[in-house]
């Protein structure tokens, strides 16, 4: 990816300012190619997790299960005491 800030004239640029690029060029472009090597998951710092959709789906299914089949949750002891529908 070209190591240039995104703008109207450079729509495929990076979302970094020119000052940030200049201050960190030794790390961003160690080979002085003018590009950022994004292979290997450069942008994945742990904040873009891939379990969000499966996790929300599982929570939704459990919630609907509690709504539709409360007796099954009560029978297994997983329905909190004192909860009512």
């Amino acid at each position: 990816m070209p190591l240039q800030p995104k703008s109207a004239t450079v729509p495929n640029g990076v979302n970094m300012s020119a000052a940030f690029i200049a201050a960190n060029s030794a790390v961003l472009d160690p080979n002085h190619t003018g590009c950022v090597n994004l292979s290997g998951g450069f942008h994945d710092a742990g904040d873009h997790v891939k379990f969000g959709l499966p996790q929300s789906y599982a929570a939704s299914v459990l919630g609907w299960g509690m709504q539709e089949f409360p007796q099954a949750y009560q029978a297994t002891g997983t329905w909190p005491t004192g909860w009512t529908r």
Side-chain angles (χ1 to χ4, degrees):
M1 175 170 265
L3 190 55
Q4 298 175 347
K6 186 183 289 188
S7 67
T9 58
V10 185
N12 294 332
V14 294
N15 60 349
M16 300 177 223
S17 67
F20 182 85
I21 293 170
N24 297 291
S25 64
V27 176
L28 295 170
D29 187 17
N31 298 331
H32 305 290
T33 61
C35 295
V36 180
N37 183 358
L38 299 179
S39 64
F42 184 81
H43 282 260
D44 187 15
D47 53 349
H48 296 290
V49 292
K50 296 179 181 176
F51 62 80
L53 186 59
Q55 182 183 20
S56 60
Y57 175 78
S60 175
V61 168
L62 287 171
W64 278 109
M66 289 183 81
Q67 174 68 27
E68 295 294 323
F69 307 104
Q71 67 281 2
Y73 283 81
Q74 292 165 351
T76 59
T78 54
W79 188 277
T81 307
W83 274 23
T84 60
R85 270 180 87 196

